[in-house]
Amino acid sequence: LTVMLVLLLSFTAYESLKKAVKMYKAESRKLREQGLKPDGSKESELTQINQQEKIVDKNQAGDELLKDMDLQEGESPGDMESPVDGEQAQELQKILDEERVTPMFNVNILVGLFVVILAMNLLKGGGAFPSPIGIECGSQSFWIANGLMLGWIFAITLYGRAYLVKRFEAKQRVGYKYVEGDIQWDGRATIVYPAICCLAGFFAGMFGVGGGIVKGPLMLAMGIHPKVASASSACMILFTSFTATTSFFVFGLLDEQYAPVCFGIGFIATYFGQIGLSILMKRAQRNSYIAFSIGGVVLLSAILMSIQSVLSLAEGEHHKSGGICGKDS
């Protein structure tokens, strides 16, 4: 398992850093076009004039190329986009207005999913936490409760997929224009991406690492904007980590001495890290720093995990597994 974890972390780190380098180069080109240096400061006036002349020459060459291209038979320059009637324009404007604000109904659905899972997790109990309603760990009722939790998750997943596909079809109908970083949630995407996320969650749970280590690089690979990927990952980890903590608690796996210390260190490091990175991004006008930070953290995790594994093997440590209800197996 340790070897597989190191391989997984190394691969995700490589992909994230490769994506970050590509983004950095694209940002550098954009800054040069705006007359800025790579660090975000202004270039000299002579350098700006030189860059503008290059851009003008490139645009003129492109215009000449377009003039030489013949239009297809029966096609005119105005035929590039289909006209939108009044009803479609109203529907498009409605979609744009809805996406300018936080969709509170979707947030409520997510919170509802979380509350139900959290409540059922506590009610069924575990090896170190007796069930308030008398469910014995390992009994038939215990497994039925676990099945109900999975069923609830699956039902919300189906609802979310139906909502996204319906939303995608509406956008296609009114000619909605996607921007760079948007995901088109068609029928295929709503199956492939959730399946990949489930696989990422499985590896995160099996290896005992945070889901953000897998989800962050995954969203970057999907082409999502780094700020959106970082914020989405943090939001998801808030729910998944809290649920995982309750599972550790009911099964007696939560170390009460480590928990407060780790929580404090994590909170402080995240707070100051977020502030520092925000200031750096604002000054340099670069979003690629988020991708570099994600890839760097994953790479550091892979290195530290490798060192820890070598030390454990050298010391001859052997970890004894336990059963679901706290019984040795």
Side-chain angles (χ1 to χ4, degrees):
L1 288 179
T2 302
V3 174
M4 293 178 62
L5 174 59
V6 172
L7 292 176
L8 175 64
L9 294 178
S10 300
F11 175 76
T12 53
Y14 170 76
E15 292 295 326
S16 299
L17 292 175
K18 184 172 70 172
K19 181 78 174 180
V21 171
K22 186 183 297 185
M23 292 175 57
Y24 185 88
K25 292 180 179 179
E27 291 170 344
S28 298
R29 289 194 298 269
K30 187 175 181 180
L31 289 174
R32 285 195 298 269
E33 293 174 359
Q34 296 175 351
L36 300 175
K37 295 180 180 180
D39 60 358
S41 59
K42 290 186 177 181
E43 290 183 334
S44 64
E45 186 175 352
L46 182 61
T47 304
Q48 293 183 32
I49 295 175
N50 186 29
Q51 293 290 344
Q52 291 175 358
E53 290 178 350
K54 289 182 179 180
I55 295 174
V56 171
D57 292 341
K58 185 184 295 185
N59 291 337
Q60 289 178 349
D63 293 339
E64 293 296 329
L65 180 62
L66 289 174
K67 290 180 182 178
D68 294 337
M69 295 174 61
D70 295 327
L71 294 173
Q72 298 292 332
E73 183 178 355
E75 184 182 42
S76 64
D79 294 335
M80 299 302 293
E81 294 183 0
S82 58
V84 179
D85 58 28
E87 184 177 350
Q88 289 180 335
Q90 292 180 357
E91 187 176 359
L92 175 59
Q93 187 60 44
K94 182 181 177 181
I95 293 176
L96 294 174
D97 292 338
E98 290 175 350
E99 298 204 344
R100 288 191 178 98
V101 297
T102 303
M104 293 309 301
F105 180 76
N106 296 347
V107 174
N108 293 332
I109 291 293
L110 180 61
V111 173
L113 170 65
F114 168 71
V115 170
V116 171
I117 294 299
L118 183 63
M120 294 183 67
N121 208 18
L122 294 174
L123 289 175
K124 69 181 179 61
F129 181 79
S131 170
I133 57 178
I135 297 178
E136 294 183 6
C137 183
S139 64
Q140 184 178 3
S141 301
F142 177 83
W143 294 112
I144 291 176
N146 281 284
L148 290 175
M149 283 198 300
L150 292 176
W152 173 246
I153 295 173
F154 187 68
I156 296 298
T157 301
L158 290 179
Y159 169 80
R161 181 181 185 274
Y163 169 82
L164 291 173
V165 171
K166 182 179 179 181
R167 189 82 171 176
F168 169 78
E169 293 174 348
K171 290 180 177 180
Q172 291 290 100
R173 185 170 59 253
V174 300
Y176 179 89
K177 294 182 179 180
Y178 291 89
V179 299
E180 184 179 358
D182 278 348
I183 299 179
Q184 300 187 31
W185 292 108
D186 54 13
R188 179 180 178 275
T190 51
I191 293 178
V192 173
Y193 291 146
I196 296 176
C197 289
C198 288
L199 187 63
F202 171 77
F203 279 109
M206 183 173 66
F207 295 137
V209 297
I213 289 183
V214 182
K215 287 289 185 65
L218 174 62
M219 285 187 285
L220 289 177
M222 292 164 58
I224 298 178
H225 192 281
K227 287 186 177 180
V228 178
S230 178
S232 300
S233 178
C235 179
M236 288 187 291
I237 299 308
L238 172 65
F239 293 102
T240 57
S241 296
F242 201 94
T243 306
T245 301
T246 59
S247 297
F248 274 83
F249 173 72
V250 297
F251 290 117
L253 300 175
L254 185 64
D255 194 320
E256 297 180 358
Q257 294 180 341
Y258 278 106
V261 177
C262 292
F263 175 80
I265 293 175
F267 180 84
I268 295 174
T270 301
Y271 178 77
F272 286 102
Q274 183 69 32
I275 293 177
L277 187 59
S278 298
I279 295 175
L280 183 62
M281 289 170 52
K282 187 176 181 180
R283 290 181 177 178
Q285 301 183 29
R286 291 183 182 274
N287 293 306
S288 58
Y289 289 159
I290 297 178
F292 276 115
S293 65
I294 292 175
V297 169
V298 177
L299 179 61
L300 181 62
S301 300
I303 295 173
L304 294 177
M305 181 59 66
S306 301
I307 295 174
Q308 178 62 35
S309 302
V310 172
L311 293 177
S312 298
L313 290 174
E315 295 175 359
E317 293 185 4
H318 297 284
H319 298 281
K320 191 175 183 180
S321 62
I324 293 178
C325 297
K327 301 175 183 178
D328 293 337
S329 60

